[in-house]
């Protein structure tokens, strides 16, 4: 598989960015087999912000691994940009990830002896990008996450929230179509968690990056536009959500209107 954009067959209406149909994932064989996903159907449009929730063992992490092309389903169809990817080889899936996906994890996974700039440049280094282009792209990504001026600091010189911002900058430096975040606030306090969620919201609303986030925290899921809950290997509920940022803005507008009315 080349790294050129996948081409879907012309079928009239544009397909969703991601489509899962009857996805089943089985680990093990025979009497030890465990069915982690039991027939999942899910459509995700370009530009969505989806929170994926569920208790431990519900299948949410397996679903995320499937969505991120980190694992293949046992049966079922996975279409990305209208193209079937469930049968791709390990190398083909790796190329797809490099081209279209960025990943953020609960652990920051930064190289401890390298600077923020160097950490962010890593995906571009693996791509073989020229040095000047790597430097420029990493600087833009760090500025986008609010870390301009911190380029030459190592992880030990950064707070937990700043380290996660570096991890997010590393995830977006390749201009991904999809950003997958697995418990991105799990190691942060409340204030830093809210800062990271507001950053993810900004990347989604201003840059149009599709954000898929696994979280067990309702307060973090509240920043999404849609909440999908898993239970026992199946999608249990799929509900739209008014993001926290918009709710706060509406409340601020109401408070301002009330204050102006009271001052008349």
């Amino acid at each position: 598989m080349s790294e050129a954009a996948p081409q879907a067959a012309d079928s009239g209406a544009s397909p969703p960015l991601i489509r899962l149909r009857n996805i089943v994932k089985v680990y093990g064989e025979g009497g030890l087999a465990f069915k982690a996903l039991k027939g999942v159907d899910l459509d995700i449009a370009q530009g969505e912000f989806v929170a994926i929730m569920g208790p431990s063992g519900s299948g949410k992490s397996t679903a995320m691994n499937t969505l991120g092309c980190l694992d293949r389903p046992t049966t079922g169809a996975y279409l990305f940009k209208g193209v079937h990817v469930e049968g791709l080889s390990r190398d083909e899936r790796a190329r797809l990830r490099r081209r279209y996906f960025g990943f953020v994890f609960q652990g920051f996974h930064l190289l401890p002896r390298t600077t923020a700039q160097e950490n962010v440049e890593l995906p571009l280094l693996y791509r073989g990008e020229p040095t000047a282009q790597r430097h420029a792209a990493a600087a833009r990504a760090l500025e986008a996450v609010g870390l301009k001026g911190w380029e030459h600091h190592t992880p030990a010189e950064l707070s937990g929230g700043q380290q996660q911002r570096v991890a997010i900058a590393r995830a977006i430096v390749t201009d991904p179509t999809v950003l997958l975040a697995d418990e991105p606030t799990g190691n942060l306090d409340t204030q830093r968690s809210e800062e990271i969620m507001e950053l993810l919201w900004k990347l989604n609303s201003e840059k149009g990056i599709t954000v898929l986030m696994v979280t067990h925290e309702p307060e973090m899921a509240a920043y999404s536009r849609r909440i999908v809950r898993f239970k026992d290997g199946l999608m249990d509920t799929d509900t739209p959500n008014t993001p926290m940022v918009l709710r706060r803005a509406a409340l601020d507008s109401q408070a301002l209107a009330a204050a102006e009315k009271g001052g008349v």
Side-chain angles (χ1 to χ4, degrees):
M1 174 183 174
S2 70
E3 293 202 29
Q7 299 294 316
D10 185 5
S11 58
S14 297
L17 177 65
I18 289 172
R19 170 164 285 171
L20 304 183
R21 285 295 178 268
N22 197 28
I23 292 292
V24 173
K25 180 62 181 179
V26 179
Y27 294 103
E29 298 178 352
L32 298 177
F34 171 71
K35 188 177 287 189
L37 296 177
K38 302 175 181 178
V40 173
D41 293 337
L42 176 65
D43 285 353
I44 297 170
Q46 173 72 46
E48 285 203 84
F49 188 153
V50 182
I52 299 174
M53 305 188 72
S56 178
S58 64
K60 64 182 186 297
S61 294
T62 303
M64 180 65 94
N65 287 340
T66 301
L67 290 166
C69 297
L70 295 169
D71 202 357
R72 291 193 298 182
T74 304
T75 61
Y78 174 13
L79 289 88
F80 182 78
K81 289 179 170 283
V83 175
H84 283 271
V85 299
E86 69 273 4
L88 297 181
S89 68
R90 184 186 299 271
D91 288 344
E92 288 170 334
R93 284 187 283 116
R95 288 196 289 270
L96 190 70
R97 290 195 301 271
R98 285 200 300 267
R99 175 68 186 271
Y100 294 104
F101 293 86
F103 296 86
V104 179
F105 301 99
Q106 179 175 343
F108 313 131
H109 300 307
L110 302 177
L111 299 180
R113 295 185 179 86
T114 58
T115 65
Q117 172 98 17
E118 292 165 336
N119 269 285
V120 173
E121 286 184 23
L122 278 176
L124 302 177
L125 182 64
Y126 296 147
R127 279 188 175 187
E129 298 282 351
T131 301
Q133 293 182 21
R134 294 202 311 268
H135 289 347
R140 288 193 299 270
L142 285 166
E143 183 173 3
V145 301
L147 286 180
K148 184 177 182 179
W150 294 86
E151 295 89 346
H152 303 296
H153 291 257
T154 64
E157 298 169 325
L158 302 173
S159 69
Q162 288 173 320
Q163 290 183 54
Q164 190 62 297
R165 285 173 181 267
V166 173
I168 293 172
R170 182 181 58 195
I172 66 170
V173 73
T174 57
D175 292 323
T177 302
V178 181
L179 181 64
L180 294 107
D182 189 358
E183 300 282 4
T185 61
N187 286 339
L188 304 176
D189 60 27
T190 300
Q191 180 180 343
R192 300 297 178 266
S193 294
E194 291 178 351
E195 291 173 357
I196 292 301
M197 291 312 306
E198 288 174 3
L199 173 58
L200 293 178
W201 162 260
K202 182 178 178 180
L203 293 171
N204 172 254
S205 60
E206 296 183 6
K207 292 185 175 295
I209 298 175
T210 302
V211 178
L212 309 179
M213 176 183 70
V214 166
T215 182
H216 68 278
E217 300 176 88
E219 298 84 359
M220 303 303 111
Y223 283 82
S224 70
R225 301 175 188 268
R226 177 182 172 193
I227 300 175
V228 174
R229 288 183 171 85
F230 276 76
K231 181 179 180 181
D232 298 330
L234 292 166
M235 275 178 50
D236 187 38
T237 61
D238 183 355
T239 56
N241 181 63
T242 301
M244 176 65 72
V245 174
L246 297 184
R247 278 185 263 169
R248 286 175 178 168
L251 290 173
D252 289 344
S253 296
Q254 292 172 7
L256 179 60
E260 291 176 344
K261 184 177 180 180
V264 173

